[in-house]
Amino acid sequence: MSPPGAGGTRTVLHVDMDAFYVSVELLRRPELRGRPVVVGGDGARGVVAAASYEARAFGVFSAMSSVRARQLCPHAVFLAGDHALYSQVSARVMAIFREYTPLVEPLSLDEAFLDVSGVRRLHGSGATIAATIRTRVLHEEGLGCCVGVASSKFVAKLASKAAKPVAARSGTRAGRGVVVVEPGNEVVFVQRLPVGALWGVGPATLERLGRLGISTVAELAAVPLPHIVGAVGRASGTHLHQLAHAIDDRPVEPESTPKSVSHEETYANDVTSSTDLRREIVRQSDAVAGRLRRQGLAGRTVQLKVRFSDFRTISRSNTVSGGLDTGPAIAREAKALLDKVDVAGGVRLLGVAVTGLSEERSRQLTFDDPGPDWSDASRAVDEIRDRFGDTAIGPAAAATERGLKLTRRGAQQWGPADP
Amino acid sequence: MKFRCEREVLVEALATAGRAVSNRGGTLTALTGIRAELVGDRLTLTGTDLDLTISVELEVSGDGDGVVVLPAKLTSDIVRAFGEGKVEVTVGDEEAEIVSGAATFTVLLLAPEGFPVQKPSEAEAVNVPAKSFATAVKKVVRAASRDETRSVALTGVLMASEDGGLRLVATDSYRLALSDLPGVSLLEESAQVIVPARALSELVRLIGNSDDTVAVRLDQGTASFSLGAKQITTRLIEAEYPNYRGLIPASQPNRLTVGREALLEAVRRVALMVQSTPTPIRLVSTSEQLELMAITPDRGEAREGLDAQYEGEDLTVAFNPEYLLDGLDATQGDEVTLQTVDGLKPALLRSNDDEGFLYLLMPVRVS
């Protein structure tokens, strides 16, 4: 049998870190090893970001509310989470991947696709590279990961899932670590899975497929395309039909330009004052703009997301002619959007996003451009932050009695802290 | 109506008048034609797109006065294709017979309805020396905007009276060119008009190397320029011209002095690295030297050092190389000075040998 990716087929690796946030925490707090550990927001509206396998055995999983997690596993250790640390560790792990191939597409801090089709001669088969990467990540970072090897992203991701450790109350059962789906075996591999395992199948789709009597991928594959399309619509139906036959030719795209840069924040108490909301917009716009500039991007569309106290969520956007990458410019648009929203009932979550991004490395100025403007001020802000830290300078709206309260990436990923 | 003349003369006259003929024609078929009017031995050929009109008078041996509209492109192509010698055009009711040597073409005439007939302007002509006027126009006209959707005013050249002379200004909001013609009092004190850049470009072409004078007439929203037997008439742009005076800085702290020809050539070379705007070229000025740099991430980079005098703080300013080249090309003299404030404010290009001219250029912001 030929190795995966022989000849014209691709070899794609999906690397997924094992309980990443928790594992990073355990490295600096080894005394917690073996105990159920939950990383996430611990306020009333907090969300679980990661759970150790010991905690998972009690039914705790990520995205669950922290309140529910405490009910299920009251003796778990709850940690607030340190996004900055996870980012650093993630960057080092991704750097290991990049030693094997430049085609690394990070999906989040703890997973990535690698296309190694072109480097098999150099580094060996997909299975060999997978094993090497696992060993190196374990030795160099003390972290476990699982790798799926297949001819497409979709199958590789399912394979890495099959390689995962399994949580049980009696103890964590080690997984296979690396699962290789050989070319030609993709259909067999995919079709023994339940349809829910397919990417893009949510509860609604699952229910519609269930009405057709479809519960496994094999059953889905046996249904002619028009029937699936009739049940779930054209786009979704075509997509599912392809996945059921293990067809996925999406390339691994390294460093893709992000589609949007956003910040959102859930408030411990609903915010009703529009003055406060405008201040929040200034803070979030400042953070969004900082990240845009760091990536050399500017965006033309500003989006405001508002979730009211009754969980009703609206999104409003406006597109301008020139690329925006300064806090004040983004805030101005976002405030204009906020002015058209009735916030009297209280706002639970507010978010500012900039989309329509492009790399704006240079721009021909016109006589209409005013002299030094926010672009210059923002550049100075970036330099100050690089030298003296993020909280050295910020918009006046972010000033509090305890110093600057800046919006930081990941600071509030898992719900607000109690006030 | 019948006329005869040398092929050469007719080819040139048809081409000149034809430059104003609209390619599109639009709803008026007549506008795709050239109007030919014969009075005695004088033939006048006129092409127009309603905004711009060009007419040429030529001496022919005529027989019977009359007016017809000939299809511009076809007639021009036919006459051009003939060999040297006489061409004879005989106009019938619905067609014209064009004969040269053994070749005979019968061309259907266009209906003359819709072809605008200009009344000769009654305004008094002001005579302007053709050569210096053409030079001044050439220096500014490239800076005019070609984008009508942004601002119609900027697609024209401002002609204003200034200190008893004539001032020409053009800008597309990225750069501005200003040229003074002392002693040319075309307009009344503090009067100004906006002439479409296209008309002035055609005028420059018409003037060529002529040492003659151009008779300029401004009259009821039109300007006409007569040079010998040729005349260009254009509709003026009725719009507010932006306040350009406020853009020209009174003083700037940094001053670079460099050989014009040397800089021009170096910019051309370094700009080879520039694939598309807005990739700029950078001018890095220090007291020791001037360095030009172009960095295109997916192509490579170019650097070239130049002898230059520089007074001011070390500074990097980036420009669109095309705009810089236009300015250097328009400036006369061996040496030019480039005065700057910083990388974000307009830079002023001048030469001591070209007093009446200045070129103001906005930088490209680079991050």
Side-chain angles (χ1 to χ4, degrees):
Chain A
M1 184 180 278
S2 56
T9 46
R10 294 184 299 153
T11 303
V12 176
L13 271 52
H14 178 256
V15 187
D16 195 359
M17 305 299 292
D18 298 338
F20 181 60
Y21 302 140
V22 170
S23 305
V24 173
E25 290 293 346
L26 290 180
L27 285 176
R28 59 175 176 181
R29 305 180 66 172
E31 73 277 8
L32 297 178
R33 214 167 271 281
R35 293 182 56 185
V37 177
V38 176
V39 174
D42 53 0
R45 289 171 176 181
V47 176
V48 174
S52 71
Y53 288 96
E54 290 79 5
R56 290 184 201 190
F58 289 88
V60 177
F61 51 86
S62 48
M64 169 184 279
S65 83
S66 298
V67 172
R68 175 87 183 120
R70 269 182 207 283
Q71 287 167 356
L72 289 170
C73 190
H75 58 292
V77 179
F78 282 79
L79 300 174
D82 183 347
H83 195 271
L85 174 67
Y86 310 151
S87 297
Q88 283 168 16
V89 178
S90 171
R92 293 201 298 266
V93 171
M94 296 291 170
I96 295 177
F97 301 165
R98 289 194 182 94
E99 286 181 36
Y100 294 89
T101 172
L103 298 177
V104 175
E105 179 184 339
L107 296 176
S108 60
L109 289 183
D110 62 347
E111 41 172 333
F113 285 117
L114 284 65
D115 187 331
V116 297
S117 315
V119 298
R120 289 177 308 220
R121 193 178 288 275
L122 197 63
H123 296 296
S125 69
T128 310
I129 297 173
T132 317
I133 284 177
R134 273 196 88 216
T135 312
R136 283 196 56 188
V137 171
L138 187 61
H139 283 170
E140 292 170 32
E141 296 296 335
L143 296 169
C145 64
C146 291
V147 188
V149 184
S151 58
S152 67
K153 286 163 88 165
F154 159 63
V155 180
K157 180 151 180 161
L158 290 175
S160 76
K161 197 165 184 208
K164 282 278 173 193
V166 181
R169 296 227 177 166
S170 52
T172 303
R173 194 153 35 83
R176 295 197 291 166
V178 176
V179 167
V180 180
V181 179
E182 303 285 357
N185 291 354
E186 294 93 343
V187 173
V188 176
F189 176 81
V190 168
Q191 293 192 351
R192 39 168 216 237
L193 298 169
V195 275
L198 293 185
W199 171 60
V201 176
T205 309
L206 205 57
E207 197 206 311
R208 284 190 201 137
L209 292 174
R211 270 186 248 139
L212 291 180
I214 298 169
S215 62
T216 70
V217 178
E219 286 161 357
L220 177 66
V223 177
L225 177 60
H227 290 171
I228 307 176
V229 168
V232 300
R234 157 105 16 222
S236 180
T238 312
H239 170 74
L240 289 180
H241 182 77
Q242 291 198 327
L243 293 188
H245 291 89
I247 300 167
D248 172 29
D249 50 13
R250 289 171 303 155
V252 173
E253 291 175 63
E255 290 174 38
S256 58
T257 304
K259 290 196 168 59
S260 73
V261 171
S262 64
H263 270 289
E264 55 183 55
E265 198 160 334
T266 306
Y267 301 107
N269 294 314
D270 292 348
V271 183
T272 49
S273 143
S274 75
T275 313
D276 290 347
L277 287 171
R278 292 168 78 88
R279 183 179 302 135
E280 289 302 312
I281 282 179
V282 171
R283 290 178 49 227
Q284 294 188 6
S285 300
D286 173 60
V288 168
R291 276 173 57 205
L292 283 171
R293 291 196 299 272
R294 232 159 262 275
Q295 297 173 70
L297 298 171
R300 292 181 51 218
T301 301
V302 175
Q303 215 169 60
L304 182 75
K305 179 173 163 186
V306 181
R307 180 169 295 150
F308 300 100
S309 43
D310 58 359
F311 277 87
R312 194 166 48 90
T313 308
I314 60 156
S315 173
R316 298 282 180 269
S317 68
N318 188 30
T319 300
V320 299
S321 60
L324 306 175
D325 69 348
T326 68
I330 295 166
R332 189 178 59 231
E333 298 302 324
K335 283 180 192 167
L337 293 168
L338 181 71
D339 287 345
K340 294 179 202 146
V341 177
D342 181 7
V343 294
V347 170
R348 179 186 173 88
L349 173 149
L350 190 75
V352 172
V354 173
T355 64
L357 304 182
S358 61
E359 289 183 44
E360 191 158 273
R361 284 208 185 85
S362 53
R363 184 168 76 85
Q364 170 68 53
L365 299 172
T366 75
F367 291 124
D368 304 324
D369 283 307
D373 58 7
W374 279 112
S375 307
D376 307 279
S378 301
R379 230 192 281 190
V381 166
D382 290 345
E383 281 174 28
I384 290 167
R385 284 178 175 168
D386 283 346
R387 277 180 71 178
F388 303 110
D390 283 351
T391 51
I393 186 169
T400 70
E401 285 152 16
R402 284 164 292 163
L404 282 182
K405 185 185 164 218
L406 293 181
T407 302
R408 287 208 329 273
R409 188 181 194 186
Q412 238 235 336
Q413 202 166 8
W414 310 308
D418 282 333
Chain B
M1 172 181 170
K2 182 174 172 176
F3 61 85
R4 215 154 78 101
C5 67
E6 285 297 323
R7 171 203 172 262
E8 287 305 316
V9 180
L10 192 56
V11 166
E12 206 214 308
L14 284 168
T16 302
R19 293 191 60 81
V21 173
S22 139
N23 299 318
R24 301 175 292 279
T27 49
L28 290 173
T29 319
L31 294 187
T32 63
I34 282 182
R35 181 178 184 270
E37 179 172 15
L38 183 66
V39 180
D41 280 340
R42 295 213 63 79
L43 177 71
T44 307
L45 298 179
T46 306
T48 185
D49 67 358
L50 298 182
D51 286 331
L52 176 71
T53 304
I54 301 180
S55 59
V56 188
E57 272 183 32
L58 59 161
E59 197 78 30
V60 295
S61 45
D63 179 8
D65 297 357
V67 180
V68 287
V69 178
L70 299 161
K73 181 159 191 312
L74 183 60
T75 308
S76 186
D77 286 348
I78 290 167
V79 178
R80 192 189 308 270
F82 289 145
E84 254 179 76
K86 296 271 182 208
V87 177
E88 191 173 86
V89 179
T90 311
V91 177
D93 285 343
E94 287 177 354
E95 55 203 31
E97 198 178 72
I98 308 174
V99 181
S100 177
T104 303
F105 285 79
T106 307
V107 173
L108 296 181
L109 299 172
L110 299 180
E113 290 83 30
F115 199 99
V117 182
Q118 277 182 325
K119 280 185 224 130
S121 172
E122 282 163 17
E124 202 177 321
V126 177
N127 286 318
V128 173
K131 198 164 216 165
S132 55
F133 187 67
T135 306
V137 168
K138 257 194 276 188
K139 289 161 80 125
V140 302
V141 76
R142 265 184 293 183
S145 165
R146 285 166 199 87
D147 185 357
E148 280 191 17
T149 57
R150 275 185 61 211
S151 158
V152 181
L154 296 190
T155 63
V157 172
L158 179 76
M159 299 200 331
S161 85
E162 184 77 19
D163 286 339
L166 179 68
R167 170 168 286 182
L168 304 180
V169 181
T171 177
D172 58 6
S173 84
Y174 306 120
R175 67 286 184 46
L176 176 146
L178 179 154
S179 191
D180 277 334
L181 269 174
V184 175
S185 50
L186 182 59
L187 294 148
E188 282 165 37
E189 188 65 32
S190 81
Q192 60 179 49
V193 291
I194 307 172
V195 186
R198 181 180 160 221
L200 290 176
S201 296
E202 290 301 336
L203 176 62
V204 166
R205 184 189 283 266
L206 221 62
I207 290 173
N209 284 322
S210 168
D211 259 333
D212 222 339
T213 56
V214 178
V216 185
R217 288 183 182 84
L218 297 171
D219 190 16
Q220 299 190 346
T222 65
S224 72
F225 305 86
S226 307
L227 180 82
K230 299 166 189 169
Q231 189 180 59
I232 289 187
T233 306
T234 178
R235 203 177 267 184
L236 295 173
I237 296 174
E238 307 281 350
E240 184 95 11
Y241 204 78
N243 172 25
Y244 68 92
R245 284 172 208 272
L247 299 175
I248 301 164
S251 75
Q252 289 168 296
N254 309 306
R255 185 185 184 92
L256 177 78
T257 309
V258 61
R260 187 180 74 93
E261 208 42 61
L263 181 58
L264 197 64
E265 282 173 14
V267 171
R268 281 205 189 105
R269 271 192 293 274
V270 170
L272 290 173
M273 264 347 257
V274 174
Q275 198 165 18
S276 64
T277 51
T279 308
I281 71 164
R282 291 161 210 241
L283 272 65
V284 184
S285 304
T286 60
S287 52
E288 282 87 49
Q289 72 156 1
L290 167 69
E291 188 180 37
L292 303 188
M293 254 168 52
I295 304 168
T296 312
D298 51 355
R299 290 189 120 190
E301 59 176 77
R303 284 164 195 275
E304 180 162 349
L306 268 171
D307 284 333
Q309 293 162 31
Y310 183 66
E311 300 152 45
E313 55 186 37
D314 292 2
L315 183 69
T316 299
V317 194
F319 297 110
N320 175 333
E322 254 176 72
Y323 296 165
L324 183 57
L325 286 171
D326 279 351
L328 286 170
D329 211 33
T331 311
Q332 285 167 353
D334 295 339
E335 271 193 340
V336 290
T337 60
L338 187 70
Q339 289 165 266
T340 49
V341 178
D342 57 30
L344 302 171
K345 295 222 183 54
L348 183 63
L349 183 73
R350 308 198 68 159
S351 168
N352 283 337
D353 305 325
D354 196 355
E355 286 240 353
F357 180 67
L358 69 83
Y359 190 78
L360 196 65
L361 173 59
M362 280 308 280
V364 173
R365 170 200 287 282
V366 289
S367 41

